[in-house]
Amino acid sequence: MSVLPPDLPRLQTLVIYLRGELGLAERALAAAEEREAAAVRQQPAPERAA
């Protein structure tokens, strides 16, 4: 048995809502990845062994 509503209007509303939430999650992920990349770039390079 599905937990999704069977009728078209509610399914459409659910899809619209979930697309919006997915967009928010994708933007949050991109921001977190950029923060991580910036932190890595700010770390000093390891010294080379001679």
Side-chain angles (χ1 to χ4, degrees):
M1 184 169 176
S2 177
V3 296
L4 298 174
D7 58 293
L8 185 59
R10 288 192 296 168
L11 281 171
Q12 289 171 329
T13 300
L14 182 58
V15 167
I16 291 167
Y17 170 77
L18 290 173
R19 283 181 180 153
E21 290 298 303
L22 178 58
L24 290 172
E26 288 173 332
R27 287 189 292 280
L29 175 61
E33 289 173 338
E34 180 54 38
R35 285 191 306 271
E36 181 71 20
V40 168
R41 285 191 302 269
Q42 290 179 354
Q43 291 178 355
E47 293 184 23
R48 294 184 183 185

